[in-house]
Amino acid sequence: MRSVKSLLAAGAASLISSMAFAADMPIAAPPPMYAPVAPPSDFGGWYLRGDVGMTNQRAKSIESGPAAALPFTTEGLGFDSSPLFDLGVGYRFNNWFRADVIGQYRGKANLHGANNLVLPGYAETNNYTGSKSEWVVMANAYVDLGTWWCITPFVGAGVGGSYNKISGFRDDGVIYGAAGVPAGVPSNSVTYFADNGKWNFAWAAHAGLAYKVNPGFTVELAYSYMNLGDAAPGNFRAFDNSASGPTSIKLKDLTSHDVKLGVRWELNSPPAYMPPLVTKG
């Protein structure tokens, strides 16, 4: 019995000693606190842009001084498709409005069309060929309409200037009933025109979809309606040098439906990953 009491007393003394030692131990420091990270701001920032695409162009009419006084009809007037390329710089003002300035080159598009005149005892056709190209400088503004699954639809408009150049223009004419020519025998002629360009006021309307690949890179698929003004070839010269002088031919109201694939690089975008801030207390 005495040995049992001795064991209980020794155990109690050991327990009290352990509790006293634990009370004397220093309290462990709390784990470091992580400060919340504010989400990257979506307001403001410069960007670069570039586009490639194809044009679908047309002209309302082709006019000349003599034809204006006679009942000519225009047939088959239009252009083949051509490539376009542009580069620009812009600024995003907030998460729904941005603007940019671009310089665009629109490649040579083959021109075709004819003016026909039919009168009693007289018929004439003028078959036109050549090509057209443009340099465009334009300021654009866009409104982003919201984002769903990283896709942002947008609309926009632009104003600027277009340098419209006509190259290799040629008029192949055929006349039936010309003075001094037997009835039913065609009289053929070919007229050449010098290359010529002119600046015009231009405007555009845009719509498209943008996909944000990462915070600094966006891909766009867009449509643009372009109004490029007028164009005219240079001075004319008959194939036999029987006549020459300034041209009276003008291509009126050039327009185009463009489809473009573009990219935007944000110049001050946040990194894709931002490590948390650590504060020591």
Side-chain angles (χ1 to χ4, degrees):
M1 176 65 78
R2 184 178 184 86
S3 61
V4 173
K5 290 182 179 181
S6 298
L7 289 174
L8 291 175
S14 176
L15 179 60
I16 293 171
S17 176
S18 298
M19 293 175 62
F21 178 76
D24 291 338
M25 292 181 63
I27 300 175
M33 300 294 293
Y34 292 93
V37 179
S41 174
D42 198 22
F43 292 82
W46 292 96
Y47 63 86
L48 299 177
R49 70 167 304 119
D51 299 272
V52 297
M54 296 298 293
T55 70
N56 180 17
Q57 306 179 75
R58 64 185 63 190
K60 181 179 180 181
S61 62
I62 185 166
E63 299 179 357
S64 66
L70 295 170
F72 274 89
T73 59
T74 301
E75 302 290 341
L77 179 60
F79 302 89
D80 295 340
S81 184
S82 69
L84 67 84
F85 314 90
D86 65 52
L87 294 172
V89 60
Y91 188 81
R92 170 177 288 282
F93 292 89
N94 51 44
N95 63 348
W96 61 270
F97 182 73
R98 55 190 168 86
D100 56 44
V101 176
I102 65 166
Q104 182 180 86
Y105 175 71
R106 306 167 64 85
K108 286 186 176 181
N110 293 328
L111 177 154
H112 45 77
N115 272 348
N116 302 319
L117 175 66
V118 178
L119 298 172
Y122 180 89
E124 175 183 344
T125 184
N126 296 281
N127 294 300
Y128 301 116
T129 56
S131 64
K132 176 181 67 67
S133 60
E134 295 92 12
W135 285 99
V136 178
V137 178
M138 185 164 287
N140 303 289
Y142 307 90
V143 175
D144 292 334
L145 304 178
T147 300
W148 296 267
W149 302 285
C150 298
I151 297 176
T152 303
F154 64 86
V155 294
V159 294
S162 177
Y163 183 79
N164 304 331
K165 184 176 181 180
I166 301 296
S167 305
F169 194 80
R170 170 172 164 166
D171 176 2
D172 291 86
V174 180
I175 298 175
Y176 293 88
V181 178
V185 177
S187 174
N188 299 317
S189 66
V190 177
T191 304
Y192 301 100
F193 295 76
D195 297 350
N196 183 61
K198 59 172 291 192
W199 280 100
N200 292 264
F201 173 76
W203 62 270
H206 314 291
L209 299 172
Y211 178 78
K212 181 167 285 191
V213 179
N214 60 48
F217 184 70
T218 301
V219 178
E220 291 183 359
L221 178 63
Y223 160 82
S224 294
Y225 173 82
M226 302 282 290
N227 187 301
L228 304 165
D230 302 334
N235 294 345
F236 77 90
R237 175 182 61 83
F239 75 101
D240 58 358
N241 291 318
S242 60
S244 62
T247 184
S248 61
I249 290 178
K250 181 180 290 187
L251 292 162
K252 300 284 291 182
D253 294 333
L254 303 174
T255 59
S256 183
H257 300 272
D258 302 337
V259 176
K260 302 180 293 182
L261 182 64
V263 294
R264 281 188 273 133
W265 295 273
E266 306 287 342
L267 297 182
N268 54 352
S269 62
Y273 169 75
M274 296 183 66
L277 299 176
V278 178
T279 59
K280 296 182 178 180

